[in-house]
Amino acid sequence: MDISLMDMGKFCLRYVKHPFWMLAALIATLSSCSDGDNYVNAIPGGSMALISIDMPQQAKGKADSRLLSLKNMLHVDDLSDCGLDVSAKFYLFEAPDGNLGLCAKVKDSGDLKHWLEKLSAKGICTSLSERRGCHFAVMKNSWLVGFSDEALLVMGPVVGSAQAELRQQMVRYLKAKEETGIKSSPMFACIDTISSPVAMVAQTQAFPEKFVAPFILGAPKEADPSQIVIAAKIAVNGQCLDIDGHTFSFNKAIDAKLQKNNQVFRPLEGHYSDFVFSDKLMTLFLNVNGREFLPILQQNKAFQAFLVGINSAVDMDNILRCVDGHIVIQVNNLSEGHADMCMGAELADIGFWKDIDYWKKSCPKGSTITAYGFDQTKPPSVPGYVYTNGDMKFYFGSLNKNFFCGTDIDMVMSLRYYKGVVDQPLEKQLIGKRLVMVLNLLSLGDMEGTSIASFLKPLFGDVNKVFYSIR
């Protein structure tokens, strides 16, 4: 295989929180089939995330290349030869215990056995064993393959003694009835209503902490990540994975607050469309009234941690109250207790500058605010300031009612002369959306020879960015 399951196992075991998109890697391992949709009962009812894939619809227009990719990964010339019904939907999921999974429909269990026996002879999986009428094999030492006459499951990654425990769970899943499987859950009812070849419903706790903060903007502070849900359509646009979604909660009280807060996000007009850097993890686009937006930002733990740290010297709360228009936020890291980010924002007024002398005098012990001339080599210099506390530097300034700030001087310098809309393809994608997040998969880097981008390739092709938007 081009992407080994061993590599996937090493990656997933190294990180507690799995980016849910890496579930697409399991497509490179297996698919499935039988009559009806009873096979779906094998998906654990408490799963945190669910992706449905209608392969015939998803592959329209690119059927040959997509199917060829699957054939290469599955080591078959004809997908029907391995006992899998490619006309039925594939379901990728994250189980309650954090294991990743693929559920598929079995068309012919005899062909499936024969196919796995051939893979076993090649050393790709172990010999088949049987437990309570279900058949099992281990792929590349860490992924368990289990199937009945109706459903096939691939779950993992697990190693050693944990495989026996997971095998017992998979027996229960494969024998589950509708009332205990995913079909009786609100998540399945929701995904069944999304008209898209690839659809996703996921609790925000299924996403990695490193970039979950923008997904839960607008969520009330008392909400648990398991209570905030994203429902979305997924499509491929060149090398970009477009996720067109919305956030909600199955808890009516929390959902009411969430939907009210989401009204603060106004339709985007394309401003700041040229500020997506190829080496930055995430870019967030918003259009807000700062006075309405600030309470929402303060309810978000990651952003609040950033605000608390900066507010000890610079009154960022007051600056944000002066915003009325578009905001762009670029992030390399945004977790509680640490932030590596920059921001550009359109201001309604600049009255906060009258307090700069007070900020200088009231800096915490060991820190300073000093004047900083941006781009001094190219007069006229743009005046600004830098807050220094040990090794940390935070630059900030404004020009023509455009505020710019951040910890990365190169990013801040690029924002200082912003003058308006730039006519680029991204601008057209932004217009009309209420929130947009661009996630750069390449910035996550290779980890032990694998990358998230490579996991997406078997299903979606050479994608290197994720474009998440809320209408």
Side-chain angles (χ1 to χ4, degrees):
M1 290 187 175
D2 296 330
I3 305 169
S4 75
L5 290 173
M6 176 70 81
D7 286 339
M8 286 190 285
K10 288 179 180 177
F11 179 89
C12 294
L13 287 172
R14 180 175 174 182
Y15 289 87
V16 176
K17 287 291 185 180
H18 314 289
F20 186 66
W21 299 295
M22 83 165 60
L23 287 174
L26 295 176
I27 287 292
T29 313
L30 293 167
S31 356
S32 101
C33 285
S34 124
D35 294 331
D37 62 354
N38 288 336
Y39 73 104
V40 177
N41 294 330
I43 302 173
S47 292
M48 296 182 285
L50 187 65
I51 290 179
S52 67
I53 304 167
D54 188 330
M55 186 57 70
Q57 290 295 319
Q58 195 267 337
K60 275 186 176 179
K62 295 184 179 180
D64 290 340
S65 60
R66 297 280 165 81
L67 291 177
L68 179 60
S69 178
L70 278 176
K71 290 174 183 177
N72 291 338
M73 291 294 182
L74 295 171
H75 300 275
V76 294
D77 295 326
D78 187 337
L79 288 174
S80 61
D81 285 346
C82 56
L84 307 174
D85 184 352
V86 294
S87 67
K89 288 183 178 180
F90 303 100
Y91 288 94
L92 307 175
F93 61 91
E94 184 172 349
D97 59 5
N99 281 316
L100 308 178
L102 164 70
C103 178
K105 188 179 180 185
V106 174
K107 182 178 182 180
D108 189 316
S109 59
D111 287 346
L112 188 53
K113 289 179 184 178
H114 180 61
W115 172 58
L116 288 170
E117 286 169 353
K118 288 197 295 183
L119 294 185
S120 175
K122 296 177 181 179
I124 297 173
C125 72
T126 62
S127 300
L128 282 169
S129 61
E130 185 174 346
R131 184 177 180 84
R132 294 177 56 192
C134 301
H135 302 276
F136 289 91
V138 180
M139 280 273 194
K140 294 294 183 181
N141 300 320
S142 59
W143 294 91
L144 263 68
V145 182
F147 65 94
S148 62
D149 288 337
E150 288 188 329
L152 176 141
L153 287 178
V154 182
M155 294 188 69
V158 290
V159 295
S161 59
Q163 291 180 355
E165 182 179 351
L166 180 57
R167 186 179 295 108
Q168 292 178 347
Q169 289 180 326
M170 290 174 66
V171 169
R172 292 194 295 270
Y173 295 152
L174 288 166
K175 291 182 173 295
K177 302 300 181 184
E178 184 169 337
E179 58 271 17
T180 58
I182 197 74
K183 283 175 67 177
S184 61
S185 73
M187 286 188 69
F188 188 81
C190 179
I191 203 169
D192 219 25
T193 64
I194 301 174
S195 179
S196 175
V198 183
M200 176 182 73
V201 178
Q203 299 170 8
T204 55
Q205 68 174 344
F207 293 84
E209 184 181 0
K210 190 173 184 180
F211 54 81
V212 75
F215 284 113
I216 56 177
L217 267 177
K221 196 170 186 176
E222 69 271 17
D224 184 89
S226 65
Q227 296 175 307
I228 306 301
V229 181
I230 296 170
K233 298 179 180 180
I234 301 177
V236 177
N237 181 12
Q239 291 186 308
C240 184
L241 193 64
D242 286 346
I243 302 179
D244 181 5
H246 68 278
T247 54
F248 69 100
S249 177
F250 294 119
N251 180 303
K252 291 183 179 179
I254 291 175
D255 188 61
K257 293 180 180 179
L258 179 61
Q259 301 314 319
K260 180 181 178 181
N261 287 343
N262 282 345
Q263 295 306 307
V264 172
F265 305 136
R266 304 183 299 206
L268 296 168
E269 298 174 4
H271 297 199
Y272 292 114
S273 59
D274 56 337
F275 292 110
V276 177
F277 292 83
S278 60
D279 62 338
K280 306 306 176 186
L281 174 65
M282 179 200 312
T283 307
L284 183 66
F285 296 92
L286 300 162
N287 180 9
V288 297
N289 176 286
R291 292 187 179 276
E292 297 174 345
F293 179 57
L294 181 59
I296 292 174
L297 207 59
Q298 291 171 333
Q299 293 178 44
N300 188 289
K301 291 182 179 180
F303 283 108
Q304 176 62 4
F306 168 74
L307 289 175
V308 168
I310 295 301
N311 274 329
S312 64
V314 179
D315 192 351
M316 279 298 296
D317 286 359
N318 195 28
I319 294 172
L320 286 167
R321 291 187 188 99
C322 293
V323 171
D324 190 10
H326 290 72
I327 294 178
V328 61
I329 299 173
Q330 289 231 330
V331 178
N332 262 347
N333 181 43
L334 186 58
S335 57
E336 290 187 54
H338 178 75
D340 179 10
M341 60 177 289
C342 78
M343 181 183 78
E346 297 171 337
L347 300 169
D349 67 74
I350 57 173
F352 56 85
W353 283 125
K354 70 180 184 298
D355 296 325
I356 186 65
D357 288 335
Y358 172 74
W359 297 349
K360 290 179 180 179
K361 295 175 183 177
S362 59
C363 278
K365 186 177 181 179
S367 62
T368 61
I369 293 177
T370 55
Y372 189 91
F374 292 93
D375 224 5
Q376 293 177 337
T377 60
K378 299 178 181 178
S381 173
V382 179
Y385 300 89
V386 56
Y387 167 64
T388 304
N389 187 353
D391 293 334
M392 193 274 276
K393 292 183 181 294
F394 179 75
Y395 305 87
F396 60 102
S398 69
L399 179 68
N400 300 324
K401 289 193 174 182
N402 172 53
F403 181 76
F404 49 90
C405 68
T407 55
D408 186 322
I409 184 59
D410 292 331
M411 294 165 68
V412 174
M413 292 284 279
S414 69
L415 286 164
R416 71 200 182 286
Y417 287 127
Y418 174 69
K419 294 181 179 179
V421 178
V422 177
D423 186 15
Q424 293 185 349
L426 178 59
E427 177 199 339
K428 297 178 181 179
Q429 287 184 271
L430 294 174
I431 291 175
K433 307 293 175 44
R434 291 184 177 270
L435 178 150
V436 166
M437 181 180 72
V438 180
L439 177 66
N440 184 1
L441 297 178
L442 297 181
S443 70
L444 295 175
D446 287 338
M447 299 172 182
E448 297 187 15
T450 62
S451 68
I452 293 177
S454 67
F455 291 151
L456 297 172
K457 185 175 180 179
L459 183 60
F460 298 116
D462 290 316
V463 296
N464 54 37
K465 286 192 297 188
V466 173
F467 185 92
Y468 174 76
S469 61
I470 295 177
R471 293 184 181 276

